[in-house]
Amino acid sequence: MKLILNADDFGLTESVNLGIADCFRAGIVKSTTIMMNQPGVSHASQLYQSGRIHEVGMHFTVTSGKPISDPNLVPTLVDENGHFFDRKTLFNKSDVSSSEVARELKAQYQAAIDAGFNINHIDSHHFAGAYRPLKMGFTQAANEIGLPVRRIDSFILGQNLLSVPTPDAFDMGFHAEGVDIEYLKAVLLAYQDKMPNGTIELMCHPARALSGELEEISSYAQARVEEWKILTSDEFSLWLRKNGIECVGFDALHS
């Protein structure tokens, strides 16, 4: 079985960026996704250009910060101050424009390319691309760009309109109370038994340390450090090898 442990939130803060770089060095995480509208993007770019980060996708973000597009061009996605709606508000809106979603996704993708990132896949912050108000626009833009994406059938069944590759399965369990090495091993062994020749993606959100900036910007904070400890541990790396689980990045879906 091939395992993609994708580190979400690259570019969020320096602590997150450094935690992701540590996980790359440990050899377990081989894929990450960049948030182009967050404060740590410049630092993330430096790590990438220095060769410490090897495979970068785009973490499409519409529930935090401001759009890359002119806010006037994406009015169904932003509040009166030009900030993205929070996820609860956005995911329950009935008037989200698919064309605006596609416009902003392509704007974030172009911003990542312009910043020097060789983007190799696309996913979405808070699973925005998998929720009904945004799923069609996300799918349209992803098909146009033509890169592999994270599966979008986590909440609403079906991704038959996607014309790009995805992993064979996606599991969101390694998060919050699921950040436990024994639980993670059990999840992986279950997938290995079910699809021994498949490619499975799990998300992760490591950070090297709990910083004030991280606590201010994200409600998910302390568990990131616990994730980092697991994903940089020699014990887990050895366990993966012993069980024949190969860690790969999204480049594996391009071949």
Side-chain angles (χ1 to χ4, degrees):
M1 186 178 79
K2 291 181 170 63
L3 170 63
I4 298 174
L5 264 163
N6 186 83
D8 294 7
D9 297 356
F10 192 43
L12 185 63
T13 69
E14 290 194 11
S15 176
V16 167
N17 296 342
L18 291 170
I20 292 171
D22 291 342
C23 294
F24 268 81
R25 187 173 64 249
I28 295 173
V29 170
K30 295 183 181 292
S31 174
T32 187
T33 33
I34 183 78
M35 305 173 80
M36 288 307 299
N37 69 340
Q38 297 298 313
V41 170
S42 178
H43 180 255
S45 179
Q46 293 171 24
L47 291 176
Y48 178 70
Q49 298 300 333
S50 71
R52 294 175 64 182
I53 301 293
H54 310 296
E55 292 189 31
V56 176
M58 192 190 75
H59 203 47
F60 176 51
T61 303
V62 282
T63 55
S64 175
K66 294 183 176 182
I68 299 295
S69 308
D70 182 334
N72 294 317
L73 298 178
V74 288
T76 68
L77 303 179
V78 298
D79 62 21
E80 64 274 13
N81 298 313
H83 291 84
F84 284 129
F85 291 110
D86 64 76
R87 57 181 162 173
K88 182 178 180 181
T89 301
L90 182 64
F91 297 163
N92 284 288
K93 279 171 61 64
S94 59
D95 66 341
V96 173
S97 164
S98 290
S99 62
E100 291 175 23
V101 173
R103 177 194 294 273
E104 178 60 18
L105 192 156
K106 288 185 280 188
Q108 291 183 22
Y109 172 72
Q110 189 59 51
I113 297 298
D114 292 345
F117 294 104
N118 181 21
I119 298 298
N120 74 343
H121 73 286
I122 298 170
D123 60 24
S124 54
H125 189 50
H126 293 149
F127 308 104
Y131 278 96
R132 192 177 302 281
L134 297 99
K135 189 171 181 176
M136 183 58 71
F138 180 90
T139 300
Q140 291 169 348
N143 286 343
E144 280 188 46
I145 293 169
L147 294 174
V149 302
R150 174 176 287 169
R151 296 187 68 89
I152 56 170
D153 56 358
S154 301
F155 306 104
I156 303 168
L157 291 178
Q159 53 180 29
N160 57 303
L161 295 179
L162 270 179
S163 60
V164 296
T166 71
D168 298 308
F170 170 72
D171 193 289
M172 64 184 74
F174 185 59
H175 186 262
E177 63 272 11
V179 179
D180 176 87
I181 192 168
E182 297 306 320
Y183 170 78
L184 180 57
K185 290 175 181 178
V187 167
L188 294 176
L189 289 176
Y191 276 110
Q192 189 177 43
D193 183 62
K194 182 179 179 181
M195 44 184 72
N197 299 312
T199 300
I200 315 304
E201 182 192 3
L202 272 68
M203 65 179 187
C204 59
H205 302 80
R208 182 185 284 181
L210 184 61
S211 66
E213 181 186 26
L214 178 55
E215 288 187 293
E216 183 177 338
I217 205 170
S218 174
S219 60
Y220 189 65
Q222 178 58 48
R224 292 178 187 263
V225 180
E226 300 307 313
E227 290 192 27
W228 172 80
K229 291 176 183 177
I230 293 171
L231 298 173
T232 56
S233 70
D234 292 337
E235 175 201 347
F236 186 49
S237 181
L238 179 61
W239 182 88
L240 289 167
R241 290 197 299 273
K242 282 184 175 180
N243 284 277
I245 298 173
E246 179 187 0
C247 293
V248 300
F250 267 85
D251 278 353
L253 297 187
H254 286 257
S255 54

